[in-house]
């Protein structure tokens, strides 16, 4: 397992600024950023290489951007992904806890599905229906 550090500019992972090192066996192995409001660095753990690390980092940044656009309108320019997240988040907020739980078991087939799932989990986390 390697720990990749990816430099970020305007919520975009920069391939030219990718570094890696052996991951500590006790590392949490979660994707993390230095600042969710204005990230400049993403840490990714993966054993599948540089390209996978960049994809994981960019998906994480897309989710952070969408969440920021939803929770603080006007702080970032909206993107298509932000709209997908906002629509899913609004829908998730109207569901009952049991309906959200049922939807959380759905399969993810695309990047839009992944954003919808993030929106659902964000709502569930805020309402303390899950603790991940």
């Amino acid at each position: 397992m390697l720990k990749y550090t990816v430099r970020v500019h305007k919520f975009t992972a920069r391939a030219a600024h990718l570094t890696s090192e052996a991951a500590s066996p006790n590392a949490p192995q979660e994707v993390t950023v230095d600042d969710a409001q204005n990230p400049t660095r993403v840490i990714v753990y993966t054993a599948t290489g540089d390209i996978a690390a960049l994809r994981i980092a960019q998906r994480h940044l897309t989710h952070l951007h969408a969440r920021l656009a939803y929770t603080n309108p006007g702080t970032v320019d909206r993107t298509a992904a932000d709209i997908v997240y906002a629509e899913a988040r609004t829908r998730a907020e109207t569901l009952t806890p049991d309906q959200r739980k049922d939807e959380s078991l759905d399969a993810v087939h695309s990047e839009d599905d992944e954003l919808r799932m993030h929106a659902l989990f964000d709502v569930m986390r805020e309402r303390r229906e899950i603790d991940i």
Side-chain angles (χ1 to χ4, degrees):
M1 180 75 60
L2 291 175
K3 172 185 170 184
Y4 290 87
T5 302
V6 183
R7 296 284 178 206
V8 177
H9 180 71
K10 295 184 179 180
F11 287 90
T12 301
R14 310 293 288 222
H17 302 284
L18 176 72
T19 62
S20 65
E21 61 187 82
S24 166
N26 299 328
Q29 299 182 4
E30 295 177 3
V31 179
T32 58
V33 294
D34 57 345
D35 178 0
Q37 304 293 316
N38 186 24
T40 61
R41 185 178 60 246
V42 180
I43 306 293
V44 175
Y45 296 87
T46 184
T48 55
D50 295 1
I51 293 172
L54 286 169
R55 284 188 186 133
I56 293 164
Q58 191 57 57
R59 282 196 314 262
H60 188 72
L61 291 167
T62 299
H63 173 227
L64 288 178
H65 190 279
R67 184 189 295 153
L68 184 61
Y70 183 83
T71 58
N72 296 311
T75 57
V76 292
D77 292 333
R78 288 185 58 146
T79 65
D82 298 344
I83 294 167
V84 169
Y85 177 89
E87 289 173 350
R89 176 91 183 235
T90 300
R91 182 178 179 285
E93 290 171 345
T94 66
L95 299 175
T96 67
D98 286 340
Q99 289 171 319
R100 281 191 288 273
K101 182 179 178 185
D102 288 346
E103 287 210 6
S104 73
L105 303 175
D106 289 349
V108 174
H109 299 288
S110 68
E111 289 182 21
D112 284 354
D113 285 349
E114 185 175 9
L115 279 171
R116 289 181 190 101
M117 197 62 70
H118 279 300
L120 179 67
F121 286 144
D122 286 349
V123 170
M124 293 174 79
R125 232 182 329 287
E126 286 175 7
R127 296 179 182 205
R128 293 185 171 89
E129 295 168 3
I130 57 173
D131 61 356
I132 59 170

